[in-house]
Amino acid sequence: MTHLVPPHVRHQDSYLAATDEFLASGEQRDGDGDWVQEPEDGYAGFAFNRDGLRDRGEFARFVAQRRRACDEDAPRRRGWTPVTFLWMVDGDEYVGSLAIRHRLTERLLEEGGHIGYSVRPTARRHGHATRALAQALVLAHGVVDGPRVLLTCLEENAGSRAVIEANGGEYEDSRGGVRRYWLPTRPG
């Protein structure tokens, strides 16, 4: 059964295996955040890479950065919003990532939305994303900047469109090949 959990070092091996799957597929991974952010105006930035994340200490630093990103006072780039990073797990196996962005920026309003997610290629078509999004709608209640969230997906991404619609997504419009949906958050 799929569960959303905060990033944790115990998932290092399956997280890295999933990373290799994404790299081999050439697909963009959503819901996982940047691995590199350049320093700017008092913001130190950070840099992670696949080889470095094999080291237990470096992976722990990566997990700590992901867990801290939801704090209002956490260091971040100017104009970026707090984000709650969560990992989809099945049993104790990492199967995907999900991010709840607390507020919409101008860019997120057009593309990205409040919630982004991705499921590793070998774990697709098992309902992980549908179950994770349902859980995220409960977690987003009271965290995001309103009673509903925006989700987006590419026009050609039939799988993501089905996940959003299965969770009650109401289609608003398409902009530049990106479909935009609104979903109500759900009290826990």
Side-chain angles (χ1 to χ4, degrees), residues 13 29 49 53 66 73 150 156 159 178 188:
D13 292 338
R29 188 175 184 172
N49 62 56
L53 290 179
R66 292 300 191 250
D73 60 351
L150 174 68
E156 65 270 11
V178 175

Side-chain angles (χ1 to χ4, degrees), residues 119-129 158-159:
V119 174
R120 66 191 286 182
T122 59
R124 293 183 183 153
R125 299 186 182 272
H126 297 282
H128 297 301

